[in-house]
């Protein structure tokens, strides 16, 4: 069932939510789009973002709320029932919160490789418009960033935004930098708009996507006595693959001397070792590979490796699954190990 529009937080609002991870530029992108609407398109608007204490690599949400010039915006609450959701990393679609509240007649834009239909897309409303753009590839090729590509896609996909005004706001942001920077971002923006690809027949949700509860599961009346946590979390179940921003470390085993320096600097302990006894009867350890479920792509291992055994490569669909060496093989089997 579609929600009653009269219960919306304000009249004539047009609301956009960016779902991203720290480092992909969602906050700056939101600022540019809202700035374009207010300063160049004669609209009222507000923009703000939310992110955790460790911004880079953690979930970031950026909110843009727009209204006609004669319609006041009287709320600064997070956007829970967006008209548009822009997903900066396809891996985020696996979490139900990413599409929470998307309206039945809304628009979903996601960054994904050509032909990619990530898990979670089926949660979109069947009546929503769904678009894919290969933001990572375009950003690499144009020496720009995903955020420029995605706001180009957004400006093209929704009639409420004027493409030229958003592009002008983007170029104004880089006005103090070199012409090359302005040109690369302009090209990325235009390719995002021109290479936007409609994906049909994907959403299965009937009506609006239900809004996920944003309040804590426990309050002062319902929390267990003494503050006990009966279901503690377990870092073995962590999945950090969405924190990688297009690059992954690759082990070239024949160059590795098992010195362990990469393991000393890896913040997430995702390097997998095995023990053995050599021909002389001496015990030793060998680096078998990387468990990409826990790898956030910080590249400290690459920077530290003195033999060139650990190298940085662009991430392609399925590559992490193919090369992954599970740290906890039993757990990987149970979880399917397919999100790395
Ligand atoms: S730092 Fe390089 S050579 Fe040393 S164990 Fe790691 S990958 Fe192998
Ligand atoms: S990039 Fe290297 S150091 Fe960083 S989390 Fe992944 S394996 Fe660890």
């Amino acid at each position: 069932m579609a929600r009653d529009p009269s219960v919306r937080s304000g009249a004539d609002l047009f609301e956009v939510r960016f779902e991203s991870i720290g480092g992909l530029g969602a906050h700056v992108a939101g600022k540019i789009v809202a700035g374009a609407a207010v300063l160049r398109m004669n609209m009222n608007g507000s923009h703000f973002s939310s992110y955790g204490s460790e911004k880079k690599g953690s979930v970031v949400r950026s909110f843009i709320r727009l209204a006609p010039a004669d319609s006041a915006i009287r709320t600064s609450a997070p956007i829970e029932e967006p008209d548009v959701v822009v997903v900066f990393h396809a891996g985020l679609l696996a979490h139900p919160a990413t599409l929470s509240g998307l309206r039945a007649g809304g628009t979903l834009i996601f960054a994904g490789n050509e032909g990619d239909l990530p898990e979670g897309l089926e949660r979109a409303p069947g009546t929503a418009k769904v678009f894919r753009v290969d933001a990572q590839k375009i950003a690499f090729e144009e020496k720009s960033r995903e955020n420029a590509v995605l706001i180009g896609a957004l400006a093209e996909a929704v009639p409420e935004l004027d493409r030229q005004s958003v592009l002008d706001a983007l170029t104004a942001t880089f006005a103090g930098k070199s012409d090359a920077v302005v040109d690369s971002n302009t090209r990325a923006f235009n390719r995002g708009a021109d290479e936007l690809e409609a994906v049909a027949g994907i959403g299965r949700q009937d009506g609006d996507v239900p809004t996920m509860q944003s309040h804590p599961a426990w309050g002062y009346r319902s929390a267990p006595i003494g503050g006990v946590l009966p279901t503690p979390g377990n870092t073995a179940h962590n999945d950090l693959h969405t924190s990688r921003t297009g690059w992954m470390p690759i082990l070239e085993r024949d160059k590795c001397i098992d010195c362990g320096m990469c393991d000393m600097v890896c913040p997430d302990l995702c390097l997998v070792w095995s023990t053995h006894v050599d021909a002389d009867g001496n015990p030793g350890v060998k680096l078998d590979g990387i468990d990409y479920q826990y790898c956030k792509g910080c590249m400290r291992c690459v920077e530290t490796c003195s033999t060139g055994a650990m190298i940085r490569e662009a991430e392609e669909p399925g590559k992490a699954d193919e090369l992954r060496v599970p740290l906890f093989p039993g757990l990987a089997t149970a979880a399917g190990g397919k999100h790395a």
Side-chain angles (χ1 to χ4, degrees):
M1 281 284 289
R3 279 181 286 265
D4 179 353
S6 65
V7 302
R8 199 167 195 186
S9 48
D12 302 325
L13 292 180
F14 178 70
E15 297 178 318
V16 181
R17 192 173 73 219
F18 289 171
E19 295 279 344
S20 184
I21 55 173
L24 292 180
H27 176 72
V28 172
K31 198 170 160 188
I32 290 170
V33 173
V38 172
L39 300 176
R40 299 168 193 271
M41 294 163 54
N42 192 32
M43 299 175 86
N44 278 330
S46 67
H47 165 250
F48 53 97
S49 301
S50 71
Y51 34 81
S53 54
E54 186 197 6
K55 187 182 169 198
K56 189 170 175 65
S58 59
V59 171
V60 171
R61 292 196 171 89
S62 198
F63 308 98
I64 305 164
R65 184 172 277 125
L66 305 175
D70 58 358
S71 182
I73 296 174
R74 299 201 181 279
T75 176
S76 54
I79 292 170
E80 296 193 336
E81 298 170 3
D83 297 285
V84 182
V85 171
V86 181
V87 182
F88 279 53
H89 191 300
L92 292 169
L93 284 163
H95 197 289
T98 300
L99 298 187
S100 170
L102 178 60
R103 290 175 174 272
T107 300
L108 166 64
I109 300 169
F110 69 96
N113 302 96
E114 189 180 351
D116 194 16
L117 294 175
E119 177 191 348
L121 271 185
E122 69 283 353
R123 294 193 191 96
T127 49
K129 294 192 261 324
V130 180
F131 297 97
R132 173 177 57 218
V133 64
D134 198 341
Q136 184 180 310
K137 175 170 156 249
I138 295 172
F140 284 171
E141 290 176 356
E142 302 301 345
K143 298 185 172 51
S144 177
R145 296 179 68 198
E146 283 95 330
N147 57 358
V149 180
L150 285 163
I151 60 174
L154 173 66
E156 178 66 20
V158 298
E160 287 80 359
L161 294 173
D162 175 60
R163 174 171 164 174
Q164 187 59 47
S165 296
V166 180
L167 176 57
D168 291 344
L170 174 70
T171 53
T173 303
F174 297 105
K177 312 230 176 202
S178 69
D179 289 347
V181 173
V182 174
D183 289 348
S184 64
N185 281 290
T186 301
R187 287 195 306 273
F189 178 96
N190 284 327
R191 283 189 63 186
D194 296 338
E195 295 178 27
L196 189 67
E197 181 190 2
V199 182
I202 296 300
R204 295 281 173 268
Q205 174 67 36
D206 183 18
D208 301 331
V209 178
T211 304
M212 289 188 73
Q213 297 288 339
S214 56
H215 54 74
W218 290 330
Y220 73 96
R221 290 186 181 182
S222 56
I225 291 174
V228 171
L229 294 178
T231 53
N234 188 326
T235 52
H237 293 281
N238 273 357
D239 187 348
L240 299 183
H241 88 282
T242 54
S243 297
R244 294 194 296 271
T245 55
W247 301 98
M248 59 192 289
I250 301 285
L251 173 65
E252 295 201 339
R253 187 49 243 174
D254 56 337
K255 295 182 186 161
C256 178
I257 56 173
D258 301 312
C259 66
M261 290 306 294
C262 50
D263 205 47
M264 297 277 283
V265 298
C266 177
D268 291 287
L269 304 176
C270 40
L271 298 165
V272 185
W273 298 81
S274 58
T275 57
H276 62 269
V277 178
D278 67 16
D280 299 326
N282 298 316
V285 291
K286 172 172 163 280
L287 178 58
D288 292 331
I290 300 161
D291 191 336
Y292 292 101
Q293 176 176 333
Y294 308 110
C295 172
K296 63 185 175 189
C298 68
M299 298 300 146
R300 289 180 198 170
C301 54
V302 174
E303 290 156 10
T304 307
C305 180
S306 60
T307 68
M310 200 67 88
I311 59 172
R312 185 180 85 144
E313 285 192 4
E315 183 154 5
E316 292 163 7
K319 199 163 169 180
D321 287 340
E322 184 189 326
L323 299 178
R324 178 185 182 203
V325 178
L327 202 49
F328 306 106
L331 187 72
T333 305
K338 61 178 187 169
H339 298 314

